[in-house]
Amino acid sequence: MVTRREEEEVNRLENQVENGGGGVWEYLCLVHKLKLRRSDMVLKHGLSILNDKKKRSALGPEEWTLYEQVAVAAMDCQSNDAAKDCIKVLQRKFPGSKRVGRLEAMLLEARGLWSEAENAYSSLLEENPFDQVVHKRRVAMAKAQGNTSAAIDWLNKYLDLFMADHEAWRELAEIYVSLQMYKQAVFCYEELILSQPTVPLHHLAYADVLYTLGGLENLQTAKKYYASTIDSGGKSTRALFGICLCTSAIGQLTKGRNKEDKDSLELQSLSAMALEKDYKQRAPSKVSVLSSTLRSLKI
């Protein structure tokens, strides 16, 4: 994850480069190191170096890394001819390279030649079944074609091999939520919380899905995870609303049969007070709407 300081440094260098202040190579290296996709800038300034023989030869071995970086940026920008030129240079330098083979398959994908790209990716995986980049490209390709079921299948197969990939679990969870497959999404978020228990966004997303599923047990668990979101990540308006909504829904389901314990009632009251304070500071014109909403929830 890119830190705020790193992002500020990238933006500073980008402004410097755009205004002719130099630092092009430093900027390209930082973008590559942080795995950012500033594709238009990388294409523009990367080509300015690659098309200058003196500047290109001064890079030494890093020249080939830049060719790869520019090729990917060119595909992002739909400049497929520029990508093709970069890949040809790499093919001549590294004949038979699997890394260059990935770029060739990506170019087929960028041109919309889906079946040819799929065949190329399948061939690469036969030689190296643990190539994470190729597995992820298959997922991306399925999503690009609108084939959500295939994307789910590829993600599940990928996670069978790389169970510790948090981003893949999150992506799979979001796809399930978009398809209203909430029970499957719950499993994904549970995996994320087990592996990254201190990330408040996982707790919040998990609570949202449990609240959507409904039922007394799910609502009670959702309420706990909304509370843990606040404990682990500070103030969260969404989590505060979640506590209030869960409290109201639990009350409707139990209809007074199960009395809330003292701590639960205190949490409900504190959440409502925190929401009102937050709205007074950030959206004072909406305080009356909030108060009306909380009253409708009998809070």
Side-chain angles (χ1 to χ4, degrees), residues 8-51:
E8 288 173 352
E9 179 63 11
V10 171
N11 291 334
R12 183 189 69 77
L13 282 171
E14 189 169 288
N15 289 331
Q16 178 180 307
V17 168
E18 281 291 271
N19 293 317
V24 173
W25 177 240
E26 185 183 359
Y27 169 73
L28 291 171
C29 286
L30 186 57
V31 168
H32 185 261
K33 176 186 174 183
L34 299 178
K35 298 181 180 180
L36 300 175
R37 299 295 280 268
R38 306 281 178 104
S39 301
D40 53 340
M41 294 289 292
V42 170
L43 178 60
K44 175 182 175 182
H45 296 292
L47 285 177
S48 72
I49 293 177
L50 293 176
N51 291 334

Side-chain angles (χ1 to χ4, degrees), residues 3 34 44 118 137 171 173 181 192 218 230 269:
T3 66
L34 299 178
K44 175 182 175 182
E118 174 59 34
R137 289 313 318 162
E171 184 176 4
M181 298 171 69
L192 281 168
N218 285 332
I230 298 168
S269 176

Side-chain angles (χ1 to χ4, degrees), residues 15-255:
N15 289 331
Q16 178 180 307
V17 168
E18 281 291 271
N19 293 317
V24 173
W25 177 240
E26 185 183 359
Y27 169 73
L28 291 171
C29 286
L30 186 57
V31 168
H32 185 261
K33 176 186 174 183
L34 299 178
K35 298 181 180 180
L36 300 175
R37 299 295 280 268
R38 306 281 178 104
S39 301
D40 53 340
M41 294 289 292
V42 170
L43 178 60
K44 175 182 175 182
H45 296 292
L47 285 177
S48 72
I49 293 177
L50 293 176
N51 291 334
D52 187 314
K53 186 176 181 180
K54 185 177 179 181
K55 290 180 180 178
R56 188 175 70 240
S57 60
L59 297 178
E62 293 298 324
E63 173 186 349
W64 314 114
T65 302
L66 182 58
Y67 269 112
E68 181 182 38
Q69 186 180 6
V70 172
V72 174
M75 285 184 270
D76 279 349
C77 297
Q78 288 297 300
S79 297
N80 293 333
D81 289 339
K84 185 177 180 180
D85 291 340
C86 290
I87 293 171
K88 280 184 177 179
V89 173
L90 291 169
Q91 286 171 329
R92 288 195 295 269
K93 179 64 179 178
F94 306 102
S97 165
K98 301 300 180 291
R99 189 163 170 173
V100 177
R102 284 204 305 253
L103 291 174
E104 294 169 1
M106 288 170 66
L107 182 58
L108 292 170
E109 182 185 343
R111 292 168 59 192
L113 302 173
W114 307 117
S115 59
E116 290 90 334
E118 174 59 34
N119 291 336
Y121 287 137
S122 296
S123 177
L124 288 166
L125 284 177
E126 283 178 8
E127 297 181 33
N128 180 12
F130 300 101
D131 190 325
Q132 286 183 274
V133 174
V134 173
H135 280 286
K136 289 181 176 181
R137 289 313 318 162
R138 294 178 106 177
V139 175
M141 191 165 67
K143 291 173 73 175
Q145 296 176 82
N147 192 346
T148 309
S149 61
I152 290 173
D153 288 341
W154 291 130
L155 269 171
N156 277 308
K157 289 176 181 177
Y158 172 80
L159 286 166
D160 285 340
L161 297 172
F162 307 101
M163 295 184 68
D165 191 326
H166 309 129
E167 287 300 311
W169 281 113
R170 183 186 56 78
E171 184 176 4
L172 182 57
E174 289 174 355
I175 292 175
Y176 281 139
V177 168
S178 72
L179 297 174
Q180 300 181 19
M181 298 171 69
Y182 299 119
K183 290 182 179 179
Q184 291 86 339
V186 162
F187 177 81
C188 295
Y189 284 122
E190 287 172 346
E191 288 290 329
L192 281 168
I193 291 170
L194 282 171
S195 59
Q196 293 184 307
T198 60
V199 178
L201 288 177
H202 298 338
H203 292 242
L204 183 59
Y206 182 53
D208 283 343
V209 176
L210 289 173
Y211 174 78
T212 303
L213 275 172
L216 184 59
E217 186 177 346
N218 285 332
L219 290 169
Q220 289 171 335
T221 305
K223 186 175 179 180
K224 291 176 183 177
Y225 276 90
Y226 281 128
S228 70
T229 300
I230 298 168
D231 285 340
S232 58
K235 184 167 60 178
S236 169
T237 302
R238 185 165 148 195
L240 291 169
F241 262 119
I243 291 171
C244 294
L245 289 168
C246 286
T247 300
S248 176
I250 290 168
Q252 291 176 19
L253 285 175
T254 59
K255 297 187 183 299

